[in-house]
Amino acid sequence: MGEIKVVQSDITKARVDAIVNAANTTLMGGGGVDGAIHRATGPGLYIACRRFNGCPTGEARITSGFNLPAQYIIHTPGPIWHGGDGVERQLLANSYRNSLLLAEEYDCRTVAFPSISTGVYAFPLNIAAPIALTTIRDFLNTAKVVREVTMVCFDTQTLAAYRQAL
Ligand code: ADP
């Protein structure tokens, strides 16, 4: 049940019900995909995110998509990689699962993810990609609403890692 797609693109352009933002725990914007999403929406997103007073790593919050093609933006701070001896793997899975739970709650049938934590947060791609895809697969097996999840890879290296893991 459900379908997982892996594409190379810019997630701000994704025509889906919800895109996911690899945010930080302040939810007040940052670099990478977070910066790209905030630049694309303009200040409305910053104002909407302020009311959350941040978000713990692995949890998720939802806002409108403002002027983006996506109806919603789901914000999740992924874990910072500290060598893999801690709870990084669990926290990364939590980010995907909690984002999908919110998508389900908001009746989203199609969801797009960036490669959470593999940019500035330095999570190794070859470890992150199987965690992401396994968590999404497990979720789709019991999901009632979400039926299509797209991994939107920004660069060819990321695309290759997710293609291989798929
Ligand atoms: P994190 O802090 O969670 O590591 P980053 O934004 O630094 O988040 O990186 C996560 C991934 O998002 C990286 O693969 C990066 O290349 C990618 N990325 C950056 N901009 C975009 C974009 N506009 N669309 C999709 N992915 C993007």
Side-chain angles (χ1 to χ4, degrees), residues 90-111:
Q90 277 158 259
L91 289 173
L92 186 65
N94 289 351
S95 276
Y96 282 95
R97 196 178 309 107
N98 286 322
S99 296
L100 289 165
L101 281 168
L102 263 184
E104 187 87 0
E105 191 181 323
Y106 280 76
D107 268 333
C108 300
R109 297 198 306 158
T110 55
V111 181

PDB file of all heavy atoms in Angstrom, residues 90-111:
ATOM      1  N   GLN A  90      17.374   6.671  16.107  1.00  0.00           N
ATOM      2  CA  GLN A  90      15.979   6.711  16.579  1.00  0.00           C
ATOM      3  C   GLN A  90      15.351   8.078  16.345  1.00  0.00           C
ATOM      4  O   GLN A  90      14.200   8.174  15.932  1.00  0.00           O
ATOM      5  CB  GLN A  90      15.924   6.445  18.087  1.00  0.00           C
ATOM      6  CG  GLN A  90      15.956   4.991  18.468  1.00  0.00           C
ATOM      7  CD  GLN A  90      16.447   4.856  19.902  1.00  0.00           C
ATOM      8  OE1 GLN A  90      17.601   4.533  20.124  1.00  0.00           O
ATOM      9  NE2 GLN A  90      15.572   5.161  20.854  1.00  0.00           N
ATOM     10  N   LEU A  91      16.122   9.118  16.621  1.00  0.00           N
ATOM     11  CA  LEU A  91      15.581  10.474  16.454  1.00  0.00           C
ATOM     12  C   LEU A  91      15.286  10.762  14.988  1.00  0.00           C
ATOM     13  O   LEU A  91      14.294  11.426  14.667  1.00  0.00           O
ATOM     14  CB  LEU A  91      16.546  11.514  17.024  1.00  0.00           C
ATOM     15  CG  LEU A  91      16.651  11.538  18.547  1.00  0.00           C
ATOM     16  CD1 LEU A  91      17.770  12.480  18.990  1.00  0.00           C
ATOM     17  CD2 LEU A  91      15.325  11.967  19.191  1.00  0.00           C
ATOM     18  N   LEU A  92      16.125  10.244  14.090  1.00  0.00           N
ATOM     19  CA  LEU A  92      15.869  10.464  12.663  1.00  0.00           C
ATOM     20  C   LEU A  92      14.573   9.750  12.258  1.00  0.00           C
ATOM     21  O   LEU A  92      13.724  10.329  11.570  1.00  0.00           O
ATOM     22  CB  LEU A  92      17.036   9.971  11.810  1.00  0.00           C
ATOM     23  CG  LEU A  92      16.907  10.301  10.323  1.00  0.00           C
ATOM     24  CD1 LEU A  92      16.953  11.808  10.095  1.00  0.00           C
ATOM     25  CD2 LEU A  92      17.998   9.614   9.498  1.00  0.00           C
ATOM     26  N   ALA A  93      14.404   8.524  12.704  1.00  0.00           N
ATOM     27  CA  ALA A  93      13.164   7.794  12.419  1.00  0.00           C
ATOM     28  C   ALA A  93      11.965   8.544  13.011  1.00  0.00           C
ATOM     29  O   ALA A  93      10.915   8.643  12.377  1.00  0.00           O
ATOM     30  CB  ALA A  93      13.245   6.378  12.980  1.00  0.00           C
ATOM     31  N   ASN A  94      12.137   9.086  14.211  1.00  0.00           N
ATOM     32  CA  ASN A  94      11.052   9.858  14.831  1.00  0.00           C
ATOM     33  C   ASN A  94      10.644  11.045  13.969  1.00  0.00           C
ATOM     34  O   ASN A  94       9.459  11.348  13.824  1.00  0.00           O
ATOM     35  CB  ASN A  94      11.475  10.389  16.208  1.00  0.00           C
ATOM     36  CG  ASN A  94      11.593   9.295  17.242  1.00  0.00           C
ATOM     37  OD1 ASN A  94      11.205   8.157  16.998  1.00  0.00           O
ATOM     38  ND2 ASN A  94      12.135   9.636  18.406  1.00  0.00           N
ATOM     39  N   SER A  95      11.629  11.729  13.384  1.00  0.00           N
ATOM     40  CA  SER A  95      11.318  12.884  12.532  1.00  0.00           C
ATOM     41  C   SER A  95      10.428  12.469  11.359  1.00  0.00           C
ATOM     42  O   SER A  95       9.447  13.142  11.042  1.00  0.00           O
ATOM     43  CB  SER A  95      12.600  13.524  11.993  1.00  0.00           C
ATOM     44  OG  SER A  95      13.142  14.421  12.931  1.00  0.00           O
ATOM     45  N   TYR A  96      10.784  11.362  10.713  1.00  0.00           N
ATOM     46  CA  TYR A  96       9.962  10.904   9.584  1.00  0.00           C
ATOM     47  C   TYR A  96       8.578  10.455  10.072  1.00  0.00           C
ATOM     48  O   TYR A  96       7.546  10.826   9.503  1.00  0.00           O
ATOM     49  CB  TYR A  96      10.675   9.766   8.834  1.00  0.00           C
ATOM     50  CG  TYR A  96      11.775  10.296   7.923  1.00  0.00           C
ATOM     51  CD1 TYR A  96      13.096  10.358   8.362  1.00  0.00           C
ATOM     52  CD2 TYR A  96      11.484  10.761   6.649  1.00  0.00           C
ATOM     53  CE1 TYR A  96      14.109  10.869   7.540  1.00  0.00           C
ATOM     54  CE2 TYR A  96      12.486  11.267   5.822  1.00  0.00           C
ATOM     55  CZ  TYR A  96      13.793  11.312   6.282  1.00  0.00           C
ATOM     56  OH  TYR A  96      14.782  11.830   5.468  1.00  0.00           O
ATOM     57  N   ARG A  97       8.548   9.650  11.143  1.00  0.00           N
ATOM     58  CA  ARG A  97       7.273   9.107  11.616  1.00  0.00           C
ATOM     59  C   ARG A  97       6.343  10.207  12.117  1.00  0.00           C
ATOM     60  O   ARG A  97       5.165  10.252  11.755  1.00  0.00           O
ATOM     61  CB  ARG A  97       7.509   8.066  12.711  1.00  0.00           C
ATOM     62  CG  ARG A  97       6.306   7.190  12.987  1.00  0.00           C
ATOM     63  CD  ARG A  97       6.568   6.128  14.040  1.00  0.00           C
ATOM     64  NE  ARG A  97       7.767   5.340  13.776  1.00  0.00           N
ATOM     65  CZ  ARG A  97       8.919   5.444  14.445  1.00  0.00           C
ATOM     66  NH1 ARG A  97       9.032   6.293  15.449  1.00  0.00           N
ATOM     67  NH2 ARG A  97       9.960   4.702  14.130  1.00  0.00           N
ATOM     68  N   ASN A  98       6.865  11.113  12.929  1.00  0.00           N
ATOM     69  CA  ASN A  98       6.020  12.179  13.475  1.00  0.00           C
ATOM     70  C   ASN A  98       5.534  13.133  12.385  1.00  0.00           C
ATOM     71  O   ASN A  98       4.414  13.648  12.462  1.00  0.00           O
ATOM     72  CB  ASN A  98       6.756  12.925  14.589  1.00  0.00           C
ATOM     73  CG  ASN A  98       6.833  12.085  15.850  1.00  0.00           C
ATOM     74  OD1 ASN A  98       5.884  11.386  16.195  1.00  0.00           O
ATOM     75  ND2 ASN A  98       7.965  12.139  16.548  1.00  0.00           N
ATOM     76  N   SER A  99       6.344  13.353  11.360  1.00  0.00           N
ATOM     77  CA  SER A  99       5.904  14.183  10.234  1.00  0.00           C
ATOM     78  C   SER A  99       4.752  13.503   9.503  1.00  0.00           C
ATOM     79  O   SER A  99       3.751  14.140   9.143  1.00  0.00           O
ATOM     80  CB  SER A  99       7.062  14.414   9.256  1.00  0.00           C
ATOM     81  OG  SER A  99       8.100  15.139   9.877  1.00  0.00           O
ATOM     82  N   LEU A 100       4.878  12.200   9.294  1.00  0.00           N
ATOM     83  CA  LEU A 100       3.823  11.463   8.591  1.00  0.00           C
ATOM     84  C   LEU A 100       2.541  11.377   9.420  1.00  0.00           C
ATOM     85  O   LEU A 100       1.435  11.428   8.873  1.00  0.00           O
ATOM     86  CB  LEU A 100       4.331  10.067   8.212  1.00  0.00           C
ATOM     87  CG  LEU A 100       5.374  10.078   7.080  1.00  0.00           C
ATOM     88  CD1 LEU A 100       6.099   8.748   6.997  1.00  0.00           C
ATOM     89  CD2 LEU A 100       4.712  10.419   5.742  1.00  0.00           C
ATOM     90  N   LEU A 101       2.683  11.269  10.738  1.00  0.00           N
ATOM     91  CA  LEU A 101       1.494  11.258  11.606  1.00  0.00           C
ATOM     92  C   LEU A 101       0.727  12.569  11.471  1.00  0.00           C
ATOM     93  O   LEU A 101      -0.513  12.579  11.397  1.00  0.00           O
ATOM     94  CB  LEU A 101       1.893  11.032  13.069  1.00  0.00           C
ATOM     95  CG  LEU A 101       2.205   9.585  13.457  1.00  0.00           C
ATOM     96  CD1 LEU A 101       2.878   9.530  14.829  1.00  0.00           C
ATOM     97  CD2 LEU A 101       0.918   8.748  13.458  1.00  0.00           C
ATOM     98  N   LEU A 102       1.448  13.691  11.419  1.00  0.00           N
ATOM     99  CA  LEU A 102       0.788  14.990  11.238  1.00  0.00           C
ATOM    100  C   LEU A 102       0.137  15.071   9.863  1.00  0.00           C
ATOM    101  O   LEU A 102      -0.979  15.580   9.718  1.00  0.00           O
ATOM    102  CB  LEU A 102       1.808  16.120  11.375  1.00  0.00           C
ATOM    103  CG  LEU A 102       1.919  16.819  12.720  1.00  0.00           C
ATOM    104  CD1 LEU A 102       2.925  17.971  12.616  1.00  0.00           C
ATOM    105  CD2 LEU A 102       0.563  17.363  13.165  1.00  0.00           C
ATOM    106  N   ALA A 103       0.827  14.567   8.849  1.00  0.00           N
ATOM    107  CA  ALA A 103       0.270  14.577   7.496  1.00  0.00           C
ATOM    108  C   ALA A 103      -1.044  13.808   7.468  1.00  0.00           C
ATOM    109  O   ALA A 103      -2.043  14.248   6.889  1.00  0.00           O
ATOM    110  CB  ALA A 103       1.268  13.960   6.512  1.00  0.00           C
ATOM    111  N   GLU A 104      -1.050  12.675   8.122  1.00  0.00           N
ATOM    112  CA  GLU A 104      -2.244  11.831   8.193  1.00  0.00           C
ATOM    113  C   GLU A 104      -3.385  12.586   8.906  1.00  0.00           C
ATOM    114  O   GLU A 104      -4.526  12.597   8.446  1.00  0.00           O
ATOM    115  CB  GLU A 104      -1.864  10.548   8.942  1.00  0.00           C
ATOM    116  CG  GLU A 104      -2.912   9.490   8.985  1.00  0.00           C
ATOM    117  CD  GLU A 104      -2.910   8.537   7.788  1.00  0.00           C
ATOM    118  OE1 GLU A 104      -2.081   8.666   6.878  1.00  0.00           O
ATOM    119  OE2 GLU A 104      -3.790   7.674   7.772  1.00  0.00           O
ATOM    120  N   GLU A 105      -3.030  13.213  10.022  1.00  0.00           N
ATOM    121  CA  GLU A 105      -4.013  13.966  10.808  1.00  0.00           C
ATOM    122  C   GLU A 105      -4.638  15.113   9.991  1.00  0.00           C
ATOM    123  O   GLU A 105      -5.804  15.450  10.160  1.00  0.00           O
ATOM    124  CB  GLU A 105      -3.303  14.523  12.044  1.00  0.00           C
ATOM    125  CG  GLU A 105      -4.191  15.101  13.106  1.00  0.00           C
ATOM    126  CD  GLU A 105      -3.350  15.651  14.265  1.00  0.00           C
ATOM    127  OE1 GLU A 105      -2.301  15.045  14.606  1.00  0.00           O
ATOM    128  OE2 GLU A 105      -3.748  16.698  14.805  1.00  0.00           O
ATOM    129  N   TYR A 106      -3.849  15.697   9.082  1.00  0.00           N
ATOM    130  CA  TYR A 106      -4.333  16.816   8.270  1.00  0.00           C
ATOM    131  C   TYR A 106      -4.809  16.364   6.888  1.00  0.00           C
ATOM    132  O   TYR A 106      -4.907  17.163   5.957  1.00  0.00           O
ATOM    133  CB  TYR A 106      -3.258  17.904   8.169  1.00  0.00           C
ATOM    134  CG  TYR A 106      -3.230  18.760   9.405  1.00  0.00           C
ATOM    135  CD1 TYR A 106      -2.666  18.293  10.593  1.00  0.00           C
ATOM    136  CD2 TYR A 106      -3.829  20.017   9.422  1.00  0.00           C
ATOM    137  CE1 TYR A 106      -2.684  19.059  11.744  1.00  0.00           C
ATOM    138  CE2 TYR A 106      -3.847  20.785  10.570  1.00  0.00           C
ATOM    139  CZ  TYR A 106      -3.266  20.303  11.722  1.00  0.00           C
ATOM    140  OH  TYR A 106      -3.297  21.071  12.863  1.00  0.00           O
ATOM    141  N   ASP A 107      -5.089  15.083   6.751  1.00  0.00           N
ATOM    142  CA  ASP A 107      -5.691  14.559   5.519  1.00  0.00           C
ATOM    143  C   ASP A 107      -4.835  14.742   4.278  1.00  0.00           C
ATOM    144  O   ASP A 107      -5.371  14.977   3.182  1.00  0.00           O
ATOM    145  CB  ASP A 107      -7.064  15.206   5.278  1.00  0.00           C
ATOM    146  CG  ASP A 107      -8.173  14.387   5.898  1.00  0.00           C
ATOM    147  OD1 ASP A 107      -7.982  13.166   6.035  1.00  0.00           O
ATOM    148  OD2 ASP A 107      -9.215  14.978   6.242  1.00  0.00           O
ATOM    149  N   CYS A 108      -3.534  14.668   4.438  1.00  0.00           N
ATOM    150  CA  CYS A 108      -2.644  14.813   3.290  1.00  0.00           C
ATOM    151  C   CYS A 108      -2.448  13.454   2.626  1.00  0.00           C
ATOM    152  O   CYS A 108      -2.067  12.491   3.278  1.00  0.00           O
ATOM    153  CB  CYS A 108      -1.277  15.343   3.740  1.00  0.00           C
ATOM    154  SG  CYS A 108      -1.398  16.949   4.538  1.00  0.00           S
ATOM    155  N   ARG A 109      -2.713  13.405   1.341  1.00  0.00           N
ATOM    156  CA  ARG A 109      -2.519  12.143   0.609  1.00  0.00           C
ATOM    157  C   ARG A 109      -1.109  12.049   0.048  1.00  0.00           C
ATOM    158  O   ARG A 109      -0.574  10.961  -0.126  1.00  0.00           O
ATOM    159  CB  ARG A 109      -3.549  12.042  -0.512  1.00  0.00           C
ATOM    160  CG  ARG A 109      -4.990  12.005   0.039  1.00  0.00           C
ATOM    161  CD  ARG A 109      -5.952  11.479  -0.998  1.00  0.00           C
ATOM    162  NE  ARG A 109      -5.857  12.231  -2.242  1.00  0.00           N
ATOM    163  CZ  ARG A 109      -6.251  11.771  -3.420  1.00  0.00           C
ATOM    164  NH1 ARG A 109      -6.763  10.555  -3.517  1.00  0.00           N
ATOM    165  NH2 ARG A 109      -6.155  12.523  -4.503  1.00  0.00           N
ATOM    166  N   THR A 110      -0.523  13.203  -0.273  1.00  0.00           N
ATOM    167  CA  THR A 110       0.821  13.199  -0.860  1.00  0.00           C
ATOM    168  C   THR A 110       1.757  14.068  -0.020  1.00  0.00           C
ATOM    169  O   THR A 110       1.407  15.176   0.383  1.00  0.00           O
ATOM    170  CB  THR A 110       0.778  13.723  -2.305  1.00  0.00           C
ATOM    171  OG1 THR A 110       0.165  15.026  -2.306  1.00  0.00           O
ATOM    172  CG2 THR A 110      -0.038  12.806  -3.205  1.00  0.00           C
ATOM    173  N   VAL A 111       2.942  13.540   0.263  1.00  0.00           N
ATOM    174  CA  VAL A 111       3.906  14.206   1.143  1.00  0.00           C
ATOM    175  C   VAL A 111       5.284  14.157   0.487  1.00  0.00           C
ATOM    176  O   VAL A 111       5.654  13.141  -0.107  1.00  0.00           O
ATOM    177  CB  VAL A 111       3.975  13.491   2.514  1.00  0.00           C
ATOM    178  CG1 VAL A 111       4.959  14.179   3.449  1.00  0.00           C
ATOM    179  CG2 VAL A 111       2.590  13.421   3.163  1.00  0.00           C
TER     180      VAL A 111
END
